[in-house]
Amino acid sequence: MLRSADTTQAEVQSRPQPKSASSAGWFRFVRRYPLGALGGAILLAMILTAIFAPWLAPHDPQQTSVEMQYAPPGKGLILGGDHLGRDVLSRLIYGARISLSVGLLSVGIGVTAGALIGVFSAYAGGKIDMVVQRLVDALMGFPPIILALGLMAALGASMNNVVIALVVILLPGTTRVIRSQTLSIKELDYVMAARSIDASPMRIMLRHILPNVAATYIVLSTITLGFAIVVEASLSFLGVGIPPDVPTWGGMLTLGASRYINTAPWLAIFPGLAITLVVFAINLLGDSLRDVLDPKLRGGI
């Protein structure tokens, strides 16, 4: 009996342990949505590159050298040199810090504030909802880039002001989307049941409505992150964004496309490829997350 018990215990210990739910979920996501997994991997690589920029950059992004002026891509400089003899690769790596920081900050503040305002406006209803929606209509009446240009002209060129401008243009769209979803959720049975037991409005919004708009919030965050990076690059391209001495993808693209596209085309090609790659990765990830989190699309082709 003892021997059989020891044998059974040894067999149980030798059996492969089941994978955790999280690892199985990630494996299933990678298998069902390979393009979304590829986009997430590219975005993660960009974030790690921005974090470890001082260790990855081969040169100081502000260091100039007469010998490296207009140097074509080669062994000495992998992506070449610019008009001041600065390493393009090093400036691209440090530029990832600015572009991703501006994108993550503006999306984190703008989409979160827009979601909270949308939930509150829809649940409160009445005059409060009418006032909030008229303000949203006023902001949505301006094209996003025109509104951002006006704000930057009034506030001045700096990273913080770019974030403020992006938050303002992200607020109305997020508020409108979350409000429309909240209007349908607040009429469902479980919300009516919470009202019948005299639950406070704050408890209903936090415990019953916000968790049910979380999927929409995540999808909006991923989609608007790419939009925020493009707008930041556009503002730098137009010369009203982050100051030109700070390495940013938009600023590098501006310089290369406006002045040196014929003599040194790599000054515009590589920043443009970086912006295209990160926006493409974010859109792939956002589309896959929408398919996973939206019950209407889950399981579709």
Side-chain angles (χ1 to χ4, degrees):
M1 296 294 295
L2 292 175
R3 182 175 300 176
S4 62
D6 294 340
T7 303
T8 303
Q9 184 177 5
E11 291 177 354
V12 171
Q13 293 178 353
S14 62
R15 291 175 184 173
Q17 299 296 323
K19 295 182 179 180
S20 62
S22 60
S23 60
W26 280 111
F27 178 76
R28 185 164 56 251
F29 177 80
V30 172
R31 185 178 59 185
R32 293 189 61 184
Y33 304 100
L35 292 179
L38 176 62
I42 294 174
L43 182 60
L44 179 61
M46 291 287 185
I47 293 174
L48 293 177
T49 299
I51 293 174
F52 298 103
W55 294 274
L56 295 176
H59 299 89
D60 185 349
Q62 302 292 354
Q63 180 181 357
T64 61
S65 174
V66 178
E67 298 177 355
M68 296 191 300
Q69 285 183 347
Y70 304 108
K75 296 182 179 179
L77 297 175
I78 299 177
L79 300 184
D82 63 4
H83 65 296
L84 296 178
R86 297 172 297 189
D87 183 26
V88 174
L89 176 60
S90 300
R91 293 181 64 79
L92 276 179
I93 293 175
Y94 274 88
R97 281 187 161 187
I98 304 298
S99 297
L100 293 178
S101 297
V102 169
L104 292 174
L105 279 175
S106 59
V107 168
I109 299 172
V111 176
T112 302
L116 294 177
I117 294 173
V119 171
F120 174 75
S121 174
Y123 188 81
K127 294 182 179 180
I128 295 177
D129 185 41
M130 183 183 67
V131 172
V132 172
Q133 293 312 305
R134 296 299 74 77
L135 293 175
V136 169
D137 291 339
L139 291 175
M140 294 186 70
F142 294 94
I145 191 64
I146 300 300
L147 181 58
L149 285 172
L151 291 172
M152 292 304 300
L155 298 175
S158 70
M159 177 177 173
N160 293 333
N161 293 337
V162 170
V163 172
I164 293 173
L166 289 173
V167 167
V168 172
I169 66 176
L170 291 178
L171 267 174
T174 305
T175 301
R176 184 61 58 84
V177 172
I178 298 297
R179 173 185 175 270
S180 64
Q181 190 173 7
T182 305
L183 286 174
S184 61
I185 292 174
K186 77 172 188 176
E187 302 298 334
L188 296 178
D189 293 339
Y190 58 86
V191 177
M192 301 297 292
R195 288 179 181 175
S196 66
I197 62 175
D198 202 20
S200 65
M202 184 63 66
R203 179 179 177 84
I204 293 175
M205 286 187 288
L206 294 178
R207 296 293 299 273
H208 299 287
I209 296 179
L210 278 178
N212 285 280
V213 300
T216 304
Y217 170 81
I218 294 174
V219 173
L220 283 174
S221 299
T222 56
I223 294 175
T224 53
L225 180 58
F227 173 74
I229 292 176
V230 171
V231 173
E232 181 274 324
S234 302
L235 292 175
S236 298
F237 183 84
L238 295 173
V240 296
I242 297 173
D245 59 323
V246 179
T248 62
W249 292 347
M252 296 173 66
L253 182 61
T254 301
L255 183 67
S258 61
R259 298 184 182 180
Y260 307 106
I261 189 63
N262 294 322
T263 58
W266 58 87
L267 298 183
I269 292 175
F270 295 121
L273 287 176
I275 296 172
T276 303
L277 183 62
V278 69
V279 173
F280 181 67
I282 292 170
N283 288 333
L284 287 179
L285 180 61
D287 289 341
S288 299
L289 289 178
R290 181 196 60 186
D291 296 341
V292 170
L293 298 175
D294 193 342
K296 297 179 181 179
L297 298 176
R298 192 176 299 163
I301 298 177

